[in-house]
Each structure stands twice: as structure tokens, then as C-alpha cells.
Amino acid sequence: MSKVKLSACLIVRNEQHLLPDCLHSIRQVVDEIIVVDTGSTDETIAIAKQAGAIVLEIPWNDDFAAARNLSLAHATGKWVLILDADERLDAESIPLLRKLVEGNDPYEGYFLRVEHAIGDGFDPTPITVNPLLRLFRNREAYRFEGAIHEQIASVIIREKVDAVLAFTPIRVLHLGYQPHIVSGKDKIARNIHMLERIIENEGRQPFHLFNLAVERLRQGDDITALTLLREAREITPLSASFTHLMIKIEAWACARSGKIDEAVQLCTAGIKDFPDYTDLHFALAVYYDASGNRHAAIEAMREAARIGTPPSHYHTEGGVGTFRAHMQLGAWALEARAWREAARAFDAALAAEGCPAAAWLASVRLRRVQGDLPALSEAAAQWLQVQPQALCAALLSAAQHGGGSALELPHASAAHNAPTPPVGSSITPQAKPTAASARSTASSAAKNPSRTSATVSLADLLADNNNNNNHDNNLSSPPKHTQHVQPTTNNTPIAQALSYLSKADIALARLQQYPRSRTSAATSRLLLPLYALALSAQTKEASTT
């Protein structure tokens, strides 16, 4: 019997920039690595061999399943883990993965949570989450089918009628759908070519039509995509694993084409068949609001928040049932000037995993401007305690920029009072922030994407504008008003922009003292930190292009 328990199988071509991090992410859990190279002309093969992988070289023949199956044929482990070079296994998932491989559970395979980053930058949002069968027993009969979007779950069920497949919380981060990677590899044109050829040879099967529609949407051809989606929906059974996703995407395509009423109808009908699919409730709320029906939008968004994260067999987007739903409810409450309702919504968002800094800024700003609530809620304080120290310093500066007393954090230092991290957590106590440590934190977050790194650009940019007199500020000793970061000490774009926002805030604060302008001035002041966050991200992008 083979002593190899887990074989990692990959297919690659010209992945010298992405492959090292992929191999690094699995080095502690796999026993062997099988790499099928389909024609690399860079250092990909050398990198794989240096990592100890068995490398098989074949010419590319427009067939992903064939390449996958070659790697399976050479795997000797009891279990197989399927990965691509543009994917990374989450470090916190390694203990569970090892337990499944070494255990005696009767399952033939496991679905992993593959999180697709669909925007540029580190940890871009939103993140779509797909349950994909990536871990299964190594049996000779189990081979992939499909030249593109290859599948193996249906093969396992067919070959072993009593096979049971399970869903797991094991996370895999996929970077391959980021725009700069897609355009650099011309994936869309390649996929369209392959799908059109498959449809010509195998007929107009719903799964192929659906995938071709998605590629057309990515290409910007909404009219052709909608035609394909409608054709696919007519012949796709509700039991198909992608039906719920197809309904959501068709509704989105309708909305993008200006057919808002049709998008509402599609979501409403889809909810009848998939009532626990949070994404449809979230989308319905957005489309109701776009149609001018704010009341119905709020009800639909509340239902999305009530359901929360959908069951694991659904394809979903990160946060639609948690922080994104609550943040949207908070934004609508602000528009209605329902201040306390907005505060509750932002606090609910902050309690959810992965909540970005925008919710923290909105919560703190709301309380500071209104003046009748504590400046820092319990939820906001707890959220801040688990953030990197340099990020905390930057956010505190952004929140109080424009005057006012320093934020007083409850109890002692967040760095000293942070809750004990769970086993496998990457959260560790941080040292006092300095300009160098702030930049180092941002750089580290870039190399190790986390769910809160949407705020890294803000931390990075503000850190560059800290002067040496401000580096001793930490959370255990709230900074004096005279110690606030003053971006006006230099002429960088972010410094000038924050200076203008500061002056605007001072002027609005004065207007807020007069009854006639009190409400409008307060509402405007709530938005200034969010402008700073958005502006900092844009400035960061401009500086890296």
C-alpha cells in the first residue's frame, strides 16, 4: 500500500510569477506534486522541479480534461488535491485538510470553497465563492470529462453509485479572474473559441451555453450573452448544479442592459425555487432600489441579512448575507436620516467576518457627527482590536481628520486586550506603528491576502505621510489633538486631498450649528472619511501604473 497520502495535481503553462506561491501554500500538507506543463517558455518547469515536483511535458491540444487526467495517471497518493498555479490553499485550512486525508470518513470526495477574486489589487472585493470538488480518492475510474470547465463529481457518482460527497470550509483563493491576469493571457478569447467548438461538436447543451454566455458577458457582449442565457434557462432542469447561478447572472445581465423590471422578475421567480439563496435576495434588493421601490428594496435586503451566508452548495459572493447587506441597509438609513438605525446596521456589519474598513469609518463618523452616541461602539472597538496596528493608526487618523477630540478607545490598549486568537489564526499582537512598519504591514498583506486588505492602500498611503513626531501614538495612549497626523506637511496628492477634506469638515461643522443647515451639514460630514478611503485607493492605483 502506498505511503503517499496526498498527491497535488496541477496543469500549468508560463506560470513563473504565480506558481511559486501556489507550491508554497501546499508544501506542508502534500506528499507529492504532479505538474503537467503544456508548453511553458519561461521558468515554470524549473520552478516546479526545484520544488520537488514530478513534471510531465505535453503539447497543448485544447483539452483541459486530458491534461488533468495525465496528472491523475501519475499520482500515487490515496487522495488527490486539484489546484492551479493561480490558486493558493488557505493556511488555516491545512489542519482540516490533513485530518480529512488521514481520517477514516466514508466520503469519496470533498467540495472546497474556491474564492474567486474578480477585481484588481490584493484581496479585491467582492469575492465569489464556488463549491468545487477538488479533493477526492485516487481511483483509476475517476477521470475528468469536458475539454473546458472540466468536471469529475458526476463521474464519481456514475462510477460508484453509493458514493457520498461532502462540503467543507476549506478555502482556496483563486486569482485567475483578476482583469490584468485575464487580459494578459487572453483567456476570454481562448474560452470562447473552445466553447463554440464544443457546442458545434456536442450540441447546444445547457452547461456549455451557460459558460459561453458568461464569457460573452466578460467580453462586454451583453446582447449575445442574454440570448444564450435565455436559451440555456429554457432547457436547464432546476436540479442542475448551476441553475441558481444562471438565474442570478441573467438578472444581472438584464440590469446591466437597463432591463431592471426583467431583472426583478427573474430574481422573484428564482427565489421561489431557491428561497435560501441569499444572493438572489440581495440582487432583488438592488434592482428594486434601481427601479425606485426603496421600501421593497429594504425588505429584500433585510431578508438577505436574515438568511446570512447561504448553504455551502450555492455559488455566492462574499458578504452578501452579512456585512454587505448590513452596510447597504446602513447607507439607506443614512439617506432617510434614521441615524440610530444606521448605527445599528453598521454595528451589525462590523460583527461579520471580512467587514471592510468603510463600515468602521461610517460607524465612527456617524457617532462623532451626531454627538448623541458614544464615539466608538462596542462593535467598532472589537473590529479595530483584530486589525493590524498600523492600520488602526491610519483609520483613527482618518476618522478624526478635520478636528474634534481624539477618539477614546475603551479599556486599555487593543494590542494588549485583543482576544486570544483561535488555533491557526494569523492574528498576533502588533508593535507600535512607525512609517516603516506601516509600509511593511501593507507589503505583508499584499503577499498574504486577507479579507480586510481592501483597507491596505489607505494604511500604506497615510503611513507615507506620517511625520516622526507622530510615530509614538498607539492604541493604549490615545493621541492628543495636536498629535493627529497632519497630511499637509507634504505635497503628495493624498496629503493635499485630505487637507481639503479637513477644511470642508471644519466648514460643515460650523454650518451644523445653525438650525436650517444642521441636518444637511451633518449628512455631508458623514461622507468625508469614505471619500478619503476611496481617494486613497485611487491614488495608490495611479502610483503603481
Side-chain angles (χ1 to χ4, degrees), residues 131-317:
L132 298 178
L133 190 73
R134 293 296 195 85
L135 180 66
F136 52 87
R137 295 184 185 274
N138 186 7
R139 302 190 191 278
E140 187 175 351
Y142 296 168
R143 294 295 184 264
F144 283 92
E145 293 180 346
I148 186 172
H149 298 296
E150 62 278 13
Q151 304 289 310
I152 200 168
S154 57
V155 176
I156 294 176
I157 298 297
R158 185 183 67 221
E159 296 294 330
K160 194 174 188 300
V161 293
D162 61 343
V164 179
L165 307 175
F167 293 86
T168 76
I170 295 174
R171 297 174 55 217
V172 173
L173 178 64
H174 175 228
L175 304 177
Y177 287 153
Q178 291 181 278
H180 71 281
I181 295 178
V182 173
S183 61
K185 296 184 177 181
D186 203 16
K187 285 186 175 182
I188 297 175
R190 179 203 67 189
N191 291 351
I192 289 176
H193 168 74
M194 293 180 65
L195 286 164
E196 287 180 336
R197 191 188 64 182
I198 291 170
I199 291 173
E200 181 179 353
N201 294 334
E202 300 180 8
R204 303 184 74 78
Q205 298 180 23
F207 186 62
H208 299 326
L209 294 172
F210 166 66
N211 284 313
L212 180 57
V214 171
E215 298 299 335
R216 289 297 186 186
L217 281 173
R218 294 167 67 190
Q219 191 182 50
D221 187 354
D222 293 359
I223 296 176
T224 301
L226 273 174
T227 301
L228 291 165
L229 286 166
R230 288 163 179 161
E231 180 183 355
R233 178 163 50 88
E234 290 297 323
I235 57 177
T236 303
L238 287 175
S239 59
S241 62
F242 61 93
T243 303
H244 64 281
L245 178 61
M246 182 171 59
I247 294 171
K248 183 179 80 168
I249 291 179
E250 184 180 354
W252 177 80
C254 286
R256 195 166 81 162
S257 301
K259 301 177 175 65
I260 302 298
D261 291 341
E262 188 173 346
V264 168
Q265 293 170 6
L266 282 166
C267 290
T268 302
I271 287 171
K272 293 179 180 178
D273 295 317
F274 305 100
D276 57 347
Y277 187 27
T278 311
D279 295 52
L280 285 180
H281 294 276
F282 185 95
L284 179 61
V286 172
Y287 303 146
Y288 267 141
D289 190 56
S291 68
N293 192 343
R294 174 62 60 81
H295 176 74
I298 292 174
E299 291 302 313
M301 193 63 74
R302 285 174 176 168
E303 182 62 12
R306 186 195 67 79
I307 297 172
T309 302
S312 56
H313 62 276
Y314 284 123
H315 299 67
T316 187
E317 295 178 24

Side-chain angles (χ1 to χ4, degrees), residues 3-24:
K3 294 182 180 180
V4 178
K5 294 180 179 179
L6 180 60
S7 300
C9 293
L10 300 83
I11 57 176
V12 300
R13 182 170 66 176
N14 291 336
E15 299 285 9
Q16 65 178 11
H17 299 297
L18 293 170
L19 184 59
D21 284 346
C22 173
L23 298 178
H24 181 78

Side-chain angles (χ1 to χ4, degrees), residues 387-429:
Q387 307 307 314
Q389 187 84 347
L391 175 58
C392 293
L395 291 174
L396 288 169
S397 294
Q400 41 197 62
H401 200 76
S405 60
L407 285 175
E408 294 186 4
L409 298 180
H411 309 299
S413 166
H416 292 92
N417 282 351
T420 303
V423 175
S425 171
S426 60
I427 299 169
T428 55

